[in-house]
């Protein structure tokens, strides 16, 4: 049994160019590069095709970001503008590590119609941020403050600028200080819990601040589509190794892939609590209580089996 869904994804993440210059401890980016996974740029033709498809189903959000550093792609303002023109009602979002952010680039994105910018920064302390993300915090802070000045000058009162922190045991003591700092500067700080990204972060439990958060039900396959630079649609935003390819939107309409059998089966696995219908990526993910119950069931079975010998 499947639940009725909108004709297309409510949220879409698009990887216009693969790769990232950051080396965050909670991100498998470096390991995937070492694994030899293909890298590349999305063609402008494919990007326009995707946006034209989405204009027919009106997603709530289009994120020009997926497992990458989006601002490394100099075409980003042009892509934002095309999205804004074709789907004016959608919320456009860029999530960045901020290393390329400055006043000029902020103005280009705001002028192109970007509605939301979220900058990931894990510590105000330069060396601590370097330990967590692979680079100093100083340039990123300067870029965020420059963006706020651009917003004020352009009177972009509806533009949503945020700084984001993933809470770990290494930065949990800094949350209040960071919140006060950003509030003084007119910027909102948002925090999120650490997840194990489909089991791709082996030491997530060790890094986590307290017990690992587990969701009751994963809604990603029913809400969001994640499109790689070559048009492949991966299961979700934590499918870094591209284990589950649901289709390709260069070859087919976005709505056709969204409603096809592979993803419908996964949705059924979650809605009916049937772990046997879920891929291994889901069964190792802290975003799925269904998967966690599956793992507990296996451990219980093994304990009972051992007790009989």
């Amino acid at each position: 049994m499947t639940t009725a869904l909108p004709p297309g994804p409510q949220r879409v993440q698009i990887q216009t160019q693969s790769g990232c210059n950051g080396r965050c401890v909670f991100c498998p980016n470096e390991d995937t590069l070492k694994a030899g996974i293909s890298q590349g740029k999305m063609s402008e033709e494919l990007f326009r095709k995707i946006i034209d498809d989405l204009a027919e189903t009106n997603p709530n959000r289009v994120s020009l970001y997926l497992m990458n550093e989006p601002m490394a792609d100099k075409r980003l303002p042009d892509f934002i503008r095309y999205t804004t023109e074709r789907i004016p009602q959608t919320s456009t979002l860029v999530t960045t590590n901020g290393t390329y952010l400055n006043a000029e680039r902020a103005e280009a994105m705001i002028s192109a119609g970007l509605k939301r910018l979220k900058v990931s920064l894990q510590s105000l302390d330069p060396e601590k941020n370097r330990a967590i993300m692979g680079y100093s915090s100083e340039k990123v802070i300067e870029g965020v403050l420059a963006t706020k000045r651009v917003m004020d000058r352009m009177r972009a009162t509806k533009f949503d600028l945020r700084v984001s922190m993933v809470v770990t045991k290494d930065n949990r003591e800094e949350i209040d200080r960071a919140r006060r700092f950003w509030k003084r500067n007119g910027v909102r700080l948002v925090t999120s819990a650490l997840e194990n990204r489909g089991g791709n972060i082996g030491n997530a439990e060790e890094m986590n601040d307290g017990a690992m958060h587990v969701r009751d039900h994963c809604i990603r396959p029913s809400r969001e589509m994640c499109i790689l630079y070559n048009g492949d649609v991966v299961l979700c935003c934590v499918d870094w190794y591209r284990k589950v390819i649901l289709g390709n939107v260069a070859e087919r309409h976005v709505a056709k892939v969204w409603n096809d059998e592979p993803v419908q089966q996964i949705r059924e696995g979650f809605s009916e609590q049937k772990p046997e219908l879920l891929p291994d990526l889901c069964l190792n993910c802290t975003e799925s209580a269904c998967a966690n119950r599956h793992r507990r069931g296996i451990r219980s079975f093994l304990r009972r089996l051992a007790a009989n010998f």
Side-chain angles (χ1 to χ4, degrees):
M1 184 179 95
T2 55
T3 304
L5 294 171
Q10 295 175 287
R11 299 183 182 183
V12 184
Q13 290 192 45
I14 304 174
Q15 183 186 77
T16 67
Q17 175 177 302
S18 63
C20 181
N21 60 333
R23 291 297 179 266
C24 299
V25 295
F26 47 75
C27 173
N29 176 62
E30 185 170 13
D31 290 338
T32 57
L33 292 175
K34 291 177 179 177
I37 291 176
S38 62
Q39 308 293 323
K41 279 188 176 183
M42 179 175 285
S43 70
E44 294 181 18
E45 179 184 18
L46 175 54
F47 182 84
R48 289 194 295 269
K49 188 265 185 193
I50 293 169
I51 298 302
D52 291 345
D53 285 356
L54 291 171
E56 298 176 21
T57 59
N58 294 317
N60 295 330
R61 179 193 297 176
V62 174
S63 301
L64 303 181
Y65 156 83
L66 177 62
M67 307 170 189
N68 70 335
E69 172 41 54
M71 291 189 67
D73 190 340
K74 294 181 179 179
R75 305 170 298 170
L76 186 60
D78 292 334
F79 288 149
I80 293 168
R81 181 171 289 105
Y82 190 79
T83 304
T84 301
E85 291 172 352
R86 292 290 288 121
I87 325 175
Q89 70 277 15
T90 196
S91 176
T92 46
L93 167 66
V94 167
T95 299
T96 173
N97 62 31
T99 53
Y100 294 95
L101 185 60
N102 55 35
E104 180 182 2
R105 302 195 77 172
E107 182 170 353
M109 291 190 293
I110 296 172
S111 297
L114 184 67
K115 293 183 173 69
R116 297 179 59 190
L117 181 66
K118 185 163 70 172
V119 183
S120 177
L121 185 68
Q122 304 310 311
S123 176
L124 296 173
D125 180 83
E127 292 311 310
K128 184 167 286 188
N129 196 73
R130 189 187 304 279
I132 298 173
M133 302 189 76
Y135 49 84
S136 170
S137 60
E138 295 170 317
K139 185 177 179 182
V140 180
I141 294 171
E142 291 172 7
V144 174
L145 296 179
T147 301
K148 181 61 171 65
R149 291 192 293 271
V150 168
M151 289 172 55
D152 294 342
R153 175 170 55 80
M154 296 179 70
R155 298 182 181 178
T157 56
K158 294 185 178 180
F159 184 71
D160 185 347
L161 173 64
R162 304 181 184 188
V163 171
S164 171
M165 292 179 72
V166 177
V167 182
T168 68
K169 68 178 184 181
D170 293 325
N171 67 5
R172 63 188 174 192
E173 303 294 337
E174 299 182 52
I175 301 296
D176 289 342
R177 175 190 169 219
R179 200 179 302 280
R180 290 193 300 270
F181 173 83
W182 290 116
K183 184 177 181 179
R184 284 198 307 272
N185 287 283
V187 178
R188 180 181 175 187
L189 174 70
V190 294
T191 60
S192 60
L194 179 69
E195 60 172 288
N196 70 353
R197 304 204 177 194
N200 289 322
I201 308 299
N203 63 338
E205 291 283 356
E206 179 184 337
M207 289 190 293
N208 194 46
D209 177 26
M212 184 69 69
H213 173 74
V214 178
R215 294 185 186 273
D216 290 335
H217 179 67
C218 182
I219 61 174
R220 285 172 176 166
S222 297
R223 183 182 67 178
E224 190 166 69
M225 176 179 279
C226 295
I227 305 172
L228 299 178
Y229 73 92
N230 62 357
D232 280 345
V233 176
V234 289
L235 173 61
C236 72
C237 58
V238 302
D239 191 0
W240 286 80
Y241 291 92
R242 307 171 191 175
K243 297 291 187 181
V244 184
I245 304 297
L246 300 172
N248 187 288
V249 296
E251 303 163 355
R252 304 175 66 204
H253 195 286
V254 166
K256 292 290 187 182
V257 177
W258 176 251
N259 290 288
D260 207 359
E261 177 61 29
V263 70
Q264 294 285 20
Q265 177 178 302
I266 292 167
R267 290 171 187 149
E268 182 180 353
F270 282 117
S271 64
E272 300 296 320
Q273 296 291 287
K274 295 179 178 178
E276 65 273 14
L277 297 181
L278 299 175
D280 289 343
L281 187 72
C282 297
L283 297 178
N284 288 302
C285 190
T286 51
E287 292 298 289
S288 166
C290 174
N292 277 268
R293 282 192 289 272
H294 171 71
R295 289 199 298 273
R296 288 196 298 269
I298 291 175
R299 288 195 293 267
S300 177
F301 169 76
L302 291 175
R303 284 196 296 269
R304 292 195 304 270
L305 186 65
N308 292 328
F309 287 90

